[in-house]
Amino acid sequence: MKHTLKNIFKLHKSLILFLGFSYGATIVFPAFGPALYVAVGDKMPQMSTVAFLFYVISFIFPPSPNHSKRISPNTVFIGACLLSPFVIFLDKLATPLQWSVVLIFSLFAGQLGGGWTQFYRIATDNEERGQVAALSIGITFFTLYVCTLLIQWLPVRAALILPMFLIFLSARHLNKISRGLDPTQVPPQANYRTLGQHYIFYLLFVIIYISGGFTYAGIFPKFESYVFISKYYNVQPLFLTVIFAGLIADRIGRKSMLYIGFGMVGLSFITFMMPASDISYFLTQTFTQIGWGFVNTYVWVVSADLSIYYKRPSIAARGVASMLAGTVIGALIANVFNTIGLTSDACYAAATLAPLFLALIIISMVPETLRIETQRLLTSNIEGSSRNTVSNKTVLTNDERLDILTNREREIAQLIMQGYTRKEICQQLNISINTLKTHIRHIYKKLDVSSKESLTQALENN
């Protein structure tokens, strides 16, 4: 497992860190974050709820990496420079200006997150997508954990520098991933035979995260007396377990993550109903964070799966936006419950469990996306091929050394071994030359070779 994750991180380091830092900046600052509380105090709940809604709206309209300058490294860097003085001195601004800065930051961060989904869907293969998402989310919440610990010891000005520092770090990694990555890997022409079925996934994500938003805005505030412990033990279970969620997603199936997540969340409600104590807080926090870590990873991965399958780039971002929208709705419902006095544990548990039961019904209607886009088997014949210059025997089947390659990389390696040119491989697999170069680079790194000749020699010797 360690070897696999090490390779995944090495191959997709900039992609993973880009989301880790940009999404981290969002949850550290406008989205119920500790940096926002330092600046605005009691205005934080209302301000962060609206800011998160703006983040969702921005996320719904992701920039196209190959056509839009909204996601270019220079634009992100300039935008961060313009926002920095306003964010750093947010506590000194009048309330209307504070609202303006927070909302603009949310729109800005939403474009970064939406843009990341576009790079993610084209830079990762089906069998590694879960691990890339898990590492990205893990770094996001590890960033939140570290910043939460730092902020309590830092002066206000230094605390407000943290989210901007994270944005600048994300811009640096955006500059790296935007080089040599072709966003046209999946042609825009869709197969309309099943087009439209992805909307049931949107509905599923919204319903699930109504429960999630209610949990964070309704249930967690009931543990205010444990605020000191919460500073040191809050999102630790999440960023420590999402890695396992990613491995399960890639090796067993996407829906397995969902069932495990639901089971953990269900356990958290049982412990929440226990008499308040250090033990009940610890158990509730642990089960909740583990559960939502699995569910969170599911949404990011499946949204990208659907985007590839339906050949529609916007699905990747809008699937995640559905999750975020559900979080906002859940938080608003929790505020309504508090306003009208429905604050008993039984009411809270019922309001949180109801969406999950509905989601369980919907899950039976959605497919397992790990195999929904599986390519032709390596042993199958290449359609339309009449080459006879190289033997068409399968050279990569049963080669244990190649277990670290994805199905797509195995397919490309096989075509290289069979003597196909790069142009012909692109035509056969319907990918661009830049995408092919990226795959070949990954193959060379994983197999520790440096050229087509050394690749061929290494495989022929096995």
Side-chain angles (χ1 to χ4, degrees):
M1 181 183 76
K2 180 180 178 181
H3 180 67
T4 302
L5 290 174
K6 181 179 179 181
N7 279 328
I8 292 293
F9 184 79
K10 182 179 180 181
L11 292 173
H12 300 288
K13 179 179 177 181
S14 292
L15 183 68
I16 291 167
L17 294 178
F18 174 54
L19 181 67
F21 293 138
S22 61
Y23 194 25
T26 303
I27 59 178
V28 166
F29 182 50
F32 311 98
L36 181 61
Y37 182 77
V38 166
V40 302
D42 293 338
K43 293 181 288 186
M44 191 268 282
Q46 296 80 13
M47 192 175 291
S48 61
T49 300
V50 177
F52 204 58
L53 179 60
F54 271 61
Y55 181 77
V56 173
I57 293 172
S58 181
F59 215 102
I60 291 175
F61 303 100
S64 173
N66 60 327
H67 291 131
S68 176
K69 294 183 179 180
R70 285 179 287 161
I71 195 64
S72 70
N74 288 339
T75 301
V76 173
F77 182 78
I78 292 172
C81 288
L82 294 175
L83 273 173
S84 290
F86 297 99
V87 172
I88 294 172
F89 292 94
L90 186 68
D91 58 312
K92 302 293 185 181
L93 302 178
T95 298
L97 285 177
Q98 288 180 337
W99 275 89
S100 299
V101 171
V102 171
L103 297 183
I104 291 172
F105 186 99
S106 299
L107 292 172
F108 180 66
Q111 287 294 286
L112 295 182
W116 181 86
T117 63
Q118 305 307 295
F119 289 113
Y120 171 59
R121 59 180 282 278
I122 60 178
T124 57
D125 288 326
N126 204 26
E127 302 85 0
E128 62 186 17
R129 200 168 290 142
Q131 295 166 84
V132 172
L135 287 168
S136 302
I137 295 169
I139 289 175
T140 295
F141 286 93
F142 178 74
T143 299
L144 172 63
Y145 178 70
V146 171
C147 289
T148 300
L149 293 181
L150 289 176
I151 283 173
Q152 63 180 322
W153 304 110
L154 294 176
V156 174
R157 212 63 52 224
L160 292 173
I161 287 175
L162 287 176
M164 297 312 308
F165 176 68
L166 293 172
I167 291 294
F168 280 111
L169 286 178
S170 70
R172 177 189 174 195
H173 289 287
L174 172 62
N175 186 49
K176 293 180 180 179
I177 64 176
S178 60
R179 297 184 209 151
L181 195 59
D182 184 5
T184 61
Q185 173 179 343
V186 180
Q189 294 79 21
N191 179 359
Y192 290 96
R193 181 177 53 188
T194 54
L195 194 60
Q197 291 184 2
H198 60 280
Y199 287 107
I200 195 172
F201 283 91
Y202 292 169
L203 178 63
L204 175 65
F205 299 159
V206 170
I207 290 175
I208 291 174
Y209 267 85
I210 289 176
S211 178
F214 195 95
T215 299
Y216 287 105
I219 291 181
F220 279 177
K222 287 204 166 193
F223 288 107
E224 289 181 1
S225 58
Y226 301 95
V227 64
F228 179 77
I229 301 176
S230 182
K231 289 180 179 179
Y232 299 95
Y233 186 79
N234 186 356
V235 295
Q236 281 177 315
L238 193 153
F239 65 73
L240 291 175
T241 57
V242 290
I243 305 304
F244 295 100
L247 289 169
I248 289 172
D250 290 339
R251 298 183 180 182
I252 300 177
R254 315 300 201 208
K255 291 175 74 171
S256 298
M257 287 191 296
L258 210 51
Y259 291 125
I260 294 172
F262 278 14
M264 293 293 106
V265 173
L267 286 174
S268 74
F269 295 135
I270 295 174
T271 57
F272 173 69
M273 298 295 289
M274 294 169 55
S277 65
D278 291 345
I279 294 177
S280 65
Y281 166 78
F282 178 81
L283 293 175
T284 301
Q285 186 74 273
T286 300
F287 289 138
T288 298
Q289 297 295 344
I290 292 175
W292 291 116
F294 273 87
V295 177
N296 203 329
T297 307
Y298 173 84
V299 173
W300 286 87
V301 176
V302 169
S303 296
D305 288 346
L306 296 171
S307 175
I308 298 293
Y309 180 67
Y310 288 112
K311 301 181 177 69
R312 295 186 65 177
S314 62
I315 292 178
R318 291 175 183 175
V320 178
S322 300
M323 172 190 74
L324 301 175
T327 304
V328 175
I329 295 171
L332 291 174
I333 293 174
N335 290 330
V336 171
F337 270 48
N338 293 332
T339 301
I340 64 179
L342 295 176
T343 57
S344 68
D345 290 353
C347 289
Y348 272 45
T352 314
L353 286 173
L356 292 183
F357 283 123
L358 181 57
L360 281 172
I361 297 173
I362 298 176
I363 289 174
S364 63
M365 305 176 189
V366 300
E368 167 57 65
T369 62
L370 176 61
R371 297 174 184 86
I372 199 173
E373 54 159 306
T374 301
Q375 303 295 329
R376 64 180 67 86
L377 295 175
L378 294 176
T379 55
S380 64
N381 293 326
I382 304 298
E383 296 180 3
S385 173
S386 59
R387 297 181 63 89
N388 54 16
T389 55
V390 179
S391 171
N392 282 332
K393 65 181 181 179
T394 302
V395 295
L396 303 183
T397 304
N398 301 324
D399 190 340
E400 295 181 357
R401 186 184 176 207
L402 304 179
D403 285 345
I404 59 175
L405 297 185
T406 66
N407 283 345
R408 174 64 93 183
E409 290 167 350
R410 282 171 172 255
E411 193 172 21
I412 290 172
Q414 178 171 314
L415 292 174
I416 292 174
M417 286 289 295
Q418 292 177 342
Y420 284 80
T421 66
R422 292 192 174 191
K423 181 178 179 180
E424 290 169 333
I425 294 175
C426 290
Q427 292 173 344
Q428 291 287 347
L429 302 182
N430 198 22
I431 60 177
S432 70
I433 187 64
N434 286 335
T435 299
L436 176 62
K437 289 178 180 178
T438 299
H439 282 301
I440 292 175
R441 186 167 64 250
H442 290 179
I443 293 169
Y444 286 178
K445 285 184 179 180
K446 289 180 178 181
L447 299 182
D448 194 25
V449 297
S450 58
S451 65
K452 175 181 176 180
E453 290 73 22
S454 58
L455 172 66
T456 304
Q457 182 179 6
L459 295 178
E460 286 179 342
N461 289 338
N462 283 297

